[in-house]
Amino acid sequence: MALDYKLYLHDSDKAAMAALKAIPGFSQVMKAFMKIWSEQQFRLINMSTNLHLNNNQMAKYYNMLPPICEKLEIDVPELFVELDVNPNAYTYGDTKPFIVITSGLFETLPDELIPTVLAHECGHIACHHTLYTTMGRAILNGASSFVSGLGNIAMYPIQLAFAYWMRCSEFSADRAAIICDGTAEKNTEVMMRFAGYDKDIMAKANVETFMEQALEYKSLVNNNAWNKTLEFILFQNYDHPLNAVRAYEGKEWEQSERYQNILEYVNSKSSEAEKNLPVEVVIKKMLGKNVTDIETKFLTMGFMNIETVRNTEAIKAKEGNVISIMVNGSTEDGWYKRSSEVVIEYFEAKTEEEIALEHPGEIKVGESQKYFLGRNYEEVKEELEGLGFKNFMIKEMAMSKIGWGEKENSVAKIIIDDKCQFKKNSWFPEEAEVTIYYYVRV
């Protein structure tokens, strides 16, 4: 089984992307971008300008890449070094994404932290961020060639939403790096280095103090409405989250059960470890489907504790279709362990035999009283005798002088168990008296 990137996708990453796609005009901007988008263009720039790393070129750093890709189960991307004093790394592309690291990164980070940065960039690839990241950078950097001619589409909301999503996407990529490192320590140190702790600084840095700084920041923002507003104003156009916040998020992720399950699987690839990985269950998409198909789907996903519950009273439900699903008592979409209890409720109407068992000593009349009116009374009596009725009263009723719609010997009125009106499939006691009035001429 391939490691599903959704297992470590940050919730804010997913929510921010959904919000971005929901902005009016986004789809038109996306189509315009795809018309001018050229992956080959970027490769030409890289191959002509930057240093292409491989087994024969700076192999020390290139060889850090394949083990990372194996853990995240992605193809090994091309790796380039760009001359830039600013410490940075980025990933662009779509079908063949590539990674670029700047020369300034080597100046800022010790070699033991380079794999963490590479794993972070590979996390963007595994999470399918790269196309949107490429488009987002173009929009945030003021590119206008692909948005001209789009009419009155407001770009500012799309720019803000893109910047916010790009900040959130960094949390997911950090999680990928933490998975590859087996700990959040290196990710935290990378954030400290980016915050100012250059590798040439001789003083000792304290990780615990840096984390206290992150907690203090979160307290400043979360406990004061103005500070929250100020945070938005200050950082609304940032495409990376703040270093201390990233370090805090990574440490929090390291403590989660989900992370421990993923780490166990990545390090062993055993079937037992795979069983501990949670599975994404989208309940909404299963409702209204055939119960056998949904039960099979859960079994295929590895769930074993499955119970199907029959509902015979559902309204507007099709026979055999699922009407509700509960996983560990929850009806919400989410990630659940394969050991979770799954209860699938489906509709199946009662059989005739089951209904009859609920009415001991009773007789079902399959038609309403209107069905019998106007028919020959002897035929009606014979039909009801066939159902099991024995107690009959046959009475005459004089036809009117006009006689319009009335036929001699036809049923004028029928009463069963003192009920002169009854619906289809009504139940009556076996001993109920059946009174049949029929027309006679006078």
Side-chain angles (χ1 to χ4, degrees):
M1 184 195 90
L3 180 65
D4 189 344
Y5 74 91
K6 293 177 185 175
L7 282 165
Y8 52 89
L9 193 72
H10 198 281
D11 287 344
S12 63
D13 181 351
K14 182 178 179 181
M17 176 52 71
L20 173 62
K21 291 181 177 180
I23 293 176
F26 173 79
S27 60
Q28 292 97 310
V29 173
M30 186 72 185
K31 288 176 183 177
F33 175 75
M34 292 306 294
K35 285 180 181 179
I36 60 94
W37 157 246
S38 173
E39 197 168 40
Q40 189 66 5
Q41 171 187 329
F42 282 97
R43 190 164 194 272
L44 288 172
I45 293 172
N46 281 322
M47 293 298 285
S48 65
T49 308
N50 298 328
L51 198 60
H52 188 197
L53 274 57
N54 52 45
N55 288 321
N56 298 316
Q57 183 69 269
M58 296 177 66
K60 171 185 177 180
Y61 297 110
Y62 176 78
N63 290 334
M64 296 175 178
L65 197 53
I68 293 169
C69 296
E70 183 179 355
K71 283 188 176 181
L72 297 180
E73 301 182 9
I74 62 172
D75 295 332
V76 179
E78 289 189 303
L79 179 61
F80 298 89
V81 174
E82 178 182 44
L83 183 62
D84 188 338
V85 294
N86 295 305
N88 194 17
Y90 57 88
T91 304
Y92 281 176
D94 182 23
T95 58
K96 294 186 70 176
F98 58 87
I99 297 172
V100 177
I101 53 180
T102 65
S103 55
L105 191 73
F106 295 111
E107 297 295 327
T108 304
L109 301 183
D111 282 352
E112 63 266 21
L113 294 182
I114 300 300
T116 301
V117 174
L118 292 174
H120 172 94
E121 296 306 322
C122 286
H124 281 306
I125 296 172
C127 292
H128 306 283
H129 290 156
T130 54
L131 178 61
Y132 290 103
T133 299
T134 307
M135 179 180 169
R137 291 261 168 81
I139 289 177
L140 294 177
N141 290 337
S144 59
S145 59
F146 70 91
V147 295
S148 60
L150 287 177
N152 296 322
I153 290 177
M155 289 302 298
Y156 186 61
I158 294 177
Q159 288 175 321
L160 287 182
F162 249 123
Y164 179 65
W165 169 74
M166 290 170 76
R167 294 198 297 272
C168 294
S169 73
E170 296 298 316
F171 295 136
S172 299
D174 283 344
R175 288 181 173 186
I178 293 168
I179 290 169
C180 292
D181 287 337
T183 173
E185 290 180 7
K186 289 185 176 181
N187 183 70
T188 302
E189 186 177 346
V190 168
M191 296 307 111
M192 290 177 65
R193 299 286 182 178
F194 286 154
Y197 181 47
D198 189 273
K199 72 177 182 181
D200 293 329
I201 296 176
M202 294 296 102
K204 185 179 179 181
N206 189 300
V207 173
E208 286 72 22
T209 303
F210 185 54
M211 295 309 299
E212 289 174 6
Q213 174 186 331
L215 285 171
E216 185 177 353
Y217 171 79
K218 290 182 74 68
S219 178
L220 278 171
V221 171
N222 294 335
N223 296 334
N224 186 289
W226 167 242
N227 285 345
K228 189 73 175 175
T229 304
L230 194 60
E231 179 192 43
F232 172 76
I233 296 171
L234 287 172
F235 306 121
Q236 59 182 313
N237 292 317
Y238 278 41
D239 59 8
H240 276 64
L242 311 179
N243 296 316
V245 176
R246 285 176 67 180
Y248 175 83
E249 286 285 339
K251 277 288 187 183
E252 287 286 292
W253 164 247
E254 184 187 32
Q255 304 303 316
S256 68
E257 183 183 10
R258 174 84 60 84
Y259 168 72
Q260 297 301 328
N261 293 149
I262 294 173
L263 196 64
E264 180 187 2
Y265 169 74
V266 168
N267 290 334
S268 68
K269 301 290 185 178
S270 69
S271 57
E272 285 303 311
E274 183 183 333
K275 289 179 183 177
N276 290 327
L277 288 176
V279 179
E280 186 179 26
V281 179
V282 185
I283 292 174
K284 295 182 183 68
K285 291 185 177 181
M286 297 184 183
L287 301 180
K289 303 291 179 62
N290 180 268
V291 62
T292 303
D293 293 341
I294 296 305
E295 184 178 13
T296 301
K297 185 177 180 67
F298 272 103
L299 288 170
T300 302
M301 289 191 290
F303 290 91
M304 298 302 295
N305 189 8
I306 304 171
E307 179 185 4
T308 55
V309 177
R310 179 186 176 200
N311 183 320
T312 60
E313 306 296 333
I315 300 173
K316 295 182 180 179
K318 291 184 179 180
E319 191 82 8
N321 281 6
V322 174
I323 55 178
S324 75
I325 296 174
M326 289 201 334
V327 185
N328 272 357
S330 173
T331 58
E332 297 297 319
D333 297 347
W335 291 83
Y336 297 93
K337 289 210 163 187
R338 291 169 172 84
S339 58
S340 300
E341 182 182 86
V342 179
V343 180
I344 306 172
E345 184 183 13
Y346 67 99
F347 172 69
E348 184 181 285
K350 295 177 183 178
T351 65
E352 292 293 330
E353 292 77 10
E354 288 172 325
I355 296 172
L357 289 173
E358 295 175 352
H359 296 273
E362 293 184 307
I363 298 172
K364 184 177 80 170
V365 179
E367 304 291 344
S368 68
Q369 87 283 348
K370 291 181 180 179
Y371 169 76
F372 301 101
L373 301 181
R375 295 176 53 198
N376 182 275
Y377 80 93
E378 291 180 333
E379 291 178 359
V380 169
K381 179 176 180 294
E382 184 179 350
E383 184 174 325
L384 294 175
E385 284 177 333
L387 294 177
F389 290 103
K390 297 183 174 66
N391 189 5
F392 287 89
M393 291 284 292
I394 310 299
K395 296 184 177 182
E396 296 179 349
M397 177 178 286
M399 296 175 66
S400 63
K401 291 183 178 180
I402 299 175
W404 186 47
E406 299 171 356
K407 295 190 297 183
E408 193 172 6
N409 295 325
S410 67
V411 175
K413 184 191 296 186
I414 183 169
I415 302 171
I416 304 179
D417 198 29
D418 295 330
K419 294 181 177 64
C420 60
Q421 291 187 343
F422 49 86
K423 297 179 181 179
K424 287 184 177 182
N425 300 321
S426 296
W427 289 84
F428 299 97
E430 290 178 346
E431 66 276 9
E433 183 178 82
V434 179
T435 304
I436 301 175
Y437 289 87
Y438 69 98
Y439 287 116
V440 294
R441 293 188 184 277
V442 291

